[in-house]
């Protein structure tokens, strides 16, 4: 969760590492995030209860950074984050997902987050115990003396026995708990909560044991998970997860413009205004009952987004508009922005492809003119096919590097430089064949 040192300026600096342009949006979300710390620092509990988040609507075409701003904000704050699409919900009484499921899903994300943190805290305490268990599995002699046992344990720890096949008794069906993703996109059918319930129901399960073969490496992971799962007390985790969801949770509601009522369209369409009515109490502040307890939504931060090409925020219900007091219009990206996305942000696309191909002995590089041309081609395709913003860059790079990625790997390191001539050649062929459908995502 956010700390005192994370000022709005520092939050923007962090966002700048991954998101190009959109300074106004970054400034506003940074203020919203900082206000969470300010609220928690207030000593008067009654006043603290009254201070609610100032929810945000981001307006702009696809691919300009709306989702990424919310996603990165949640990572900076180490907060439970859920992305949902407004169009996936239906009015109460209709078949489909009801809006309360977004709160249940957010709690599920929070449960996974708190559980993973607990696992990180305690797993080192069990490692030696698990290695000792594995040593006895590898050499099951009852009279295993300390010297032999210690030698086997050292070989296990060093990885020398990782691929050796052993037989182990498997007591339950859960597959272990590595670091779960904090950032989750709600599935179209069902909800995350159901999946987490299935996971939690397996903690300390007593299914009939069965012997299975696996590598020592996988056996260590299984035994470690088993020890951890048996030690985790969900009665401690659940209250913390609820508290974190209530006070730190961020829900990103995409495509909110598509549930706005627009002039000239049939009012018979299922649930546009009905979904708005159902979302309203969630955003205003209500209590949602879940399997794990009541979750209050008063201090969850809601960030909504939409292109708003055929509607405006003013087409939403007045009450719902009032619950999103901060409205920010994001600008369309230009060629210079695309170049920054390719080269200036952390873990940019060029860096990703360079590192990927390095695995197959390709030393890939791009000339400045090639980078300029890739950005130009992305702009042209957005104008001529469909405007998907920065997402176009990935499809253009895939086209440029397709043959290189197909021919790799090489026996020895091979230098390949992408220049403007190659980019022009590849996309000249595409334009001549008028085969642009592949660039529609």
């Amino acid at each position: 969760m956010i700390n005192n040192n994370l000022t709005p300026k520092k939050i923007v600096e962090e966002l700048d590492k991954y998101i190009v342009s959109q300074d106004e949006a970054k400034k506003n979300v940074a203020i919203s995030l900082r206000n969470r710390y300010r609220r928690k620092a207030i000593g008067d509990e009654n006043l603290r209860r009254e201070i609610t988040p100032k929810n945000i609507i981001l307006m702009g075409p696809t691919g300009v950074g709306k989702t990424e701003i919310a996603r990165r904000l949640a990572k900076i704050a180490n907060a439970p984050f859920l992305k949902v699409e407004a169009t996936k919900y239906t009015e109460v009484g209709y078949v489909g997902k009801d809006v309360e499921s977004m709160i249940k899903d957010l709690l599920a994300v929070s449960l996974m987050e708190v559980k993973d943190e607990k696992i990180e805290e305690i797993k080192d305490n069990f490692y030696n115990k698990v290695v000792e268990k594995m040593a006895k599995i590898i050499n099951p002699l009852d009279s295993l003396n300390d010297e032999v046992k210690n030698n086997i344990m050292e070989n296990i720890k060093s990885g020398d026995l990782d691929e050796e096949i052993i037989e182990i008794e498997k007591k339950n069906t859960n597959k272990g708990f590595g670091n779960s993703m904090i950032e989750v996109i709600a599935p179209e059918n069902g909800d995350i909560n159901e999946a987490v319930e299935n996971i939690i129901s397996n903690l300390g399960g007593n299914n009939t044991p069965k012997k299975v073969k696996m590598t020592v490496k996988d056996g260590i992971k299984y035994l470690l998970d088993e020890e951890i799962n048996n030690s985790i007390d969900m009665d401690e985790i659940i209250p913390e997860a609820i508290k974190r969801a209530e006070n730190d949770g961020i829900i990103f509601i995409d495509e909110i413009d598509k549930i706005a009522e627009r002039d000239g369209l049939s009012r018979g369409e299922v649930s546009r205004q009905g979904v708005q009515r159902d979302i309203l109490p969630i955003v205003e502040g209500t209590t949602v009952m879940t399997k794990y307890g009541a979750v209050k939504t008063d201090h969850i931060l809601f960030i909504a987004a939409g292109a708003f090409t055929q509607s405006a925020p003013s087409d939403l219900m007045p009450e719902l508009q009032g619950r999103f007091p901060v409205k920010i219009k994001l600008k369309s990206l230009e060629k210079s922005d695309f170049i920054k996305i390719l080269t200036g942000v952390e873990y940019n696309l060029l860096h990703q492809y360079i590192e990927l191909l390095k695995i197959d002995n390709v030393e890939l590089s791009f000339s400045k003119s090639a980078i300029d041309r890739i950005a130009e081609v992305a702009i042209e395709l957005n104008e001529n096919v469909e405007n998907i913003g920065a997402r176009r860059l990935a499809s253009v790079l895939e086209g440029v590097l397709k043959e290189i990625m197909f021919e790799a790997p090489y026996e020895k390191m091979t230098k390949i430089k992408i220049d403007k001539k190659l980019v022009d050649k590849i996309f000249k062929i595409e334009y001549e064949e008028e085969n642009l459908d592949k660039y529609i995502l």
Side-chain angles (χ1 to χ4, degrees):
M1 56 192 68
I2 190 167
N3 59 57
N4 185 34
N5 295 324
L6 208 53
T7 63
K9 288 181 180 178
K10 288 185 178 178
I11 294 167
V12 170
E13 286 174 10
E14 286 298 309
L15 292 173
D16 284 340
K17 294 178 182 179
Y18 306 98
I19 301 158
V20 166
S21 190
Q22 316 306 0
D23 295 338
E24 193 64 24
K26 287 185 279 194
K27 184 182 293 185
N28 277 279
V29 297
I31 291 169
S32 290
L33 191 58
R34 180 63 183 182
N35 279 341
R36 289 190 145 185
Y37 168 80
R38 291 166 176 153
R39 172 185 163 268
K40 290 178 182 179
I42 290 174
D44 186 335
E45 185 178 346
N46 292 325
L47 175 59
R48 193 165 62 240
R49 193 181 300 118
E50 292 296 320
I51 299 173
T52 56
K54 303 304 179 278
N55 299 316
I56 300 166
I57 290 182
L58 301 176
M59 301 171 283
T62 185
V64 297
K66 300 188 297 293
T67 305
E68 193 65 10
I69 285 171
R71 193 196 316 273
R72 292 293 176 184
L73 190 73
K75 287 187 176 180
I76 289 169
N78 190 25
F81 173 75
L82 183 78
K83 176 186 174 183
V84 299
E85 294 179 6
T87 52
K88 294 295 188 290
Y89 295 100
T90 58
E91 186 177 0
V92 170
Y94 289 92
V95 175
K97 285 176 70 72
D98 64 90
V99 295
E100 285 192 352
S101 66
M102 72 172 71
I103 304 303
K104 296 173 184 177
D105 289 348
L106 181 69
L107 177 57
V109 174
S110 188
L111 279 165
M112 297 288 281
E113 176 183 338
V114 175
K115 178 180 63 59
D116 283 348
E117 289 176 5
K118 183 67 175 176
I119 287 171
E120 285 300 310
E121 285 178 15
I122 65 176
K123 70 178 183 181
D124 289 344
N125 299 337
F126 294 99
Y127 182 68
N128 283 333
K129 182 179 178 181
V130 164
V131 170
E132 187 171 351
K133 272 189 177 182
M134 182 57 69
K136 290 179 180 178
I137 291 171
I138 292 171
N139 191 336
L141 294 176
D142 292 335
S143 59
L144 194 65
N145 62 53
D146 288 343
E147 184 179 352
V148 174
K149 183 178 70 174
N150 290 337
N151 285 338
I152 296 173
M153 289 177 66
E154 287 302 316
N155 287 332
I156 292 170
K157 290 178 180 179
S158 68
D160 292 343
L161 301 177
D162 276 358
E163 301 307 316
E164 184 171 326
I165 302 296
I166 47 94
E167 197 170 57
I168 197 168
E169 270 198 356
K170 206 166 185 182
K171 296 180 181 178
N172 53 45
T173 58
N174 64 299
K175 297 181 179 179
F177 298 97
N179 287 330
S180 304
M181 288 187 68
I182 297 173
E183 165 197 316
V184 179
I185 299 177
E188 186 170 345
N189 298 313
D191 58 40
I192 301 165
N193 197 47
E194 293 174 4
V196 174
E197 286 175 13
N198 291 335
I199 291 172
I200 291 173
S201 68
N202 282 328
L203 288 175
N206 291 314
N207 296 339
T208 304
K210 60 179 180 179
K211 288 192 174 182
V212 296
K213 290 184 178 180
M214 62 179 71
T215 63
V216 168
K217 184 178 180 180
D218 289 339
I220 289 287
K221 183 178 185 303
Y222 170 75
L223 291 174
L224 190 57
D225 288 343
E226 185 179 59
E227 291 287 342
I228 289 170
N229 293 340
N230 289 336
S231 72
I232 286 178
D233 184 357
M234 291 308 296
D235 289 338
E236 293 180 7
I237 287 177
I238 289 171
E240 173 60 26
I242 291 174
K243 180 182 176 183
R244 193 173 296 191
E246 289 179 336
N247 293 286
D248 299 316
I250 298 174
I251 294 181
F252 181 79
I253 307 175
D254 203 7
E255 298 186 342
I256 199 167
D257 56 318
K258 293 182 180 177
I259 62 168
E261 285 202 313
R262 303 186 289 271
D263 293 338
L265 292 180
S266 169
R267 288 182 176 268
E269 292 182 21
V270 174
S271 69
R272 261 210 190 107
Q273 193 165 19
V275 172
Q276 291 185 55
R277 280 197 302 267
D278 291 345
I279 288 176
L280 180 59
I282 301 290
V283 178
E284 278 185 323
T286 189
T287 300
V288 175
M289 295 306 301
T290 75
K291 183 173 182 177
Y292 307 106
V295 178
K296 295 180 179 180
T297 69
D298 304 67
H299 298 103
I300 294 172
L301 175 63
F302 292 88
I303 301 176
F308 289 100
T309 53
Q310 298 179 3
S311 62
S314 58
D315 293 319
L316 295 167
M317 291 172 54
E319 298 90 343
L320 191 57
Q321 291 178 48
R323 290 297 167 176
F324 288 89
V326 182
K327 299 174 179 65
I328 308 158
K329 188 171 181 60
L330 279 71
K331 74 180 189 71
S332 295
L333 299 177
E334 302 170 349
K335 177 186 169 183
S336 60
D337 297 319
F338 278 19
I339 291 172
K340 287 180 184 176
I341 291 168
L342 287 170
T343 62
V345 300
E346 282 199 13
Y347 308 116
N348 58 69
L349 278 173
L350 296 189
H351 177 68
Q352 291 173 30
Y353 281 104
I354 288 168
E355 293 301 315
L356 279 171
L357 283 164
K358 191 181 289 182
I359 302 300
D360 282 340
N361 284 333
V362 177
E363 190 177 315
L364 187 66
S365 62
F366 295 82
S367 70
K368 185 178 181 301
S369 60
I371 295 169
D372 285 352
R373 185 60 186 140
I374 289 167
E376 288 170 359
V377 169
I379 295 286
E380 291 167 11
L381 287 171
N382 277 345
E383 291 173 351
N384 296 325
V385 182
E386 183 179 359
N387 188 359
I388 58 171
R391 294 186 178 95
R392 180 70 63 193
L393 290 169
S395 61
V396 172
L397 276 169
E398 283 287 325
V400 170
L401 299 174
K402 179 175 65 178
E403 292 301 322
I404 295 170
M405 291 191 290
F406 181 77
E407 293 297 330
Y410 295 96
E411 290 184 6
K412 60 181 181 179
M413 189 60 73
T414 303
K415 291 185 178 182
I416 298 177
K417 186 168 187 174
I418 307 298
D419 57 18
K420 181 177 181 294
K421 184 177 179 182
L422 176 61
V423 178
D424 281 335
K425 179 182 177 182
I426 290 169
F427 284 95
K428 181 181 179 184
I429 294 170
E430 298 292 351
Y431 283 126
E432 286 176 352
E433 293 179 353
E434 296 183 348
N435 182 22
L436 301 178
D437 288 347
K438 67 178 71 178
Y439 297 106
I440 300 177
L441 301 183

